[in-house]
Amino acid sequence: MTNTLTATRHTLNFNSLSYDKFEALCFWLVDDSGEYEKVEHYGGTGDKNRDVIGYTPDGEVDYFLCKRYEGLSYSVLKGELDNLLKHIKAASVKKPRRLCFVLSSQASADAKDQAKKYAVDNGLPEPAFWEPIILDKKIKKNADALENFFSIPTEKEDEHLPQVDTTGLIAYGTHETTFTVVNHGDIPA
């Protein structure tokens, strides 16, 4: 599917990105937020359920868990939380200040509510959810990401109109204003 911005401004199709590209997109958004002293991409095998990590200036960490597939259920979200809890209890990762699921598809309200409750009941921060509507807004504010990940240029080509030097141009008038432009350049009048 080719992504284009239309007059109705459809939400971008995040499932059209590969898993790696989706994680890279998440990294770009977190890094460009300006909130972190350092941002690292850990995605892939061995990431210990931390696809992207944001390090705060005061030494805390925020974890971003990127999930690029359709039909996301509570059991998938719970599985991610369980794995993260396992790594925290084993002291192989630090407990995060914040936790955010970055989702390519909408999760149900029930799945999100259950995941939030489960996280809090198990000593984790309540997770935030960046779903397509939130990702869409973030991406459309980031021209480089929009072009890099979706091949959608955001700036129209400049029209190649002649430049007119208006130095010394004087305009004045009354009720009926008439302007006279004097051409002092090499552009034919």
Side-chain angles (χ1 to χ4, degrees):
M1 173 181 174
T2 302
N3 287 293
T4 56
L5 291 179
T6 64
T8 56
R9 304 283 191 231
H10 296 287
T11 302
L12 295 165
N13 180 4
F14 295 98
N15 285 314
S16 70
L17 300 174
S18 69
Y19 292 101
D20 292 340
K21 281 277 198 183
F22 186 70
E23 285 185 1
L25 172 73
C26 178
F27 169 82
W28 274 47
L29 293 175
V30 174
D31 193 44
D32 287 352
S33 74
E35 184 176 345
Y36 300 101
E37 186 171 76
K38 179 172 83 170
V39 177
E40 291 183 319
H41 174 244
Y42 268 52
T45 305
D47 66 11
K48 298 179 182 174
N49 297 83
R50 305 161 303 152
D51 296 312
V52 176
I53 304 172
Y55 297 88
T56 67
D58 59 353
E60 297 204 73
V61 294
D62 293 346
Y63 296 152
F64 296 82
L65 291 75
C66 306
K67 301 291 135 213
R68 189 213 138 281
Y69 48 90
E70 297 181 45
L72 201 62
S73 65
Y74 166 66
S75 63
V76 172
L77 298 173
K78 181 183 179 294
E80 293 295 317
L81 294 170
D82 284 338
N83 286 333
L84 180 59
L85 284 164
K86 177 182 76 175
H87 294 298
I88 291 169
K89 287 178 183 167
S92 61
V93 301
K94 187 175 180 177
K95 181 179 173 182
R97 172 187 73 151
R98 288 192 305 196
L99 192 57
C100 181
F101 282 102
V102 184
L103 309 176
S104 66
S105 297
Q106 182 79 25
S108 72
D110 187 52
K112 291 185 288 188
D113 289 343
Q114 288 182 46
K116 287 177 182 182
K117 182 178 181 338
Y118 185 78
V120 171
D121 288 350
N122 285 278
L124 290 172
E126 182 178 291
F129 291 86
W130 287 2
E131 295 174 288
I133 194 166
I134 294 168
L135 290 174
D136 190 73
K137 182 176 181 182
K138 289 179 180 291
I139 290 296
K140 288 176 181 171
K141 288 182 176 180
N142 186 324
D144 290 337
L146 189 60
E147 182 150 4
N148 185 58
F149 293 98
F150 293 96
S151 301
I152 300 173
T154 56
E155 294 184 35
K156 295 179 183 176
E157 271 189 45
D158 293 336
E159 292 184 55
H160 297 289
L161 298 175
Q163 299 298 310
V164 178
D165 180 6
T166 57
T167 305
L169 177 65
I170 300 173
Y172 58 91
T174 60
H175 291 86
E176 296 178 32
T177 305
T178 303
F179 294 97
T180 303
V181 176
V182 179
N183 183 354
H184 292 288
D186 58 359
I187 300 170

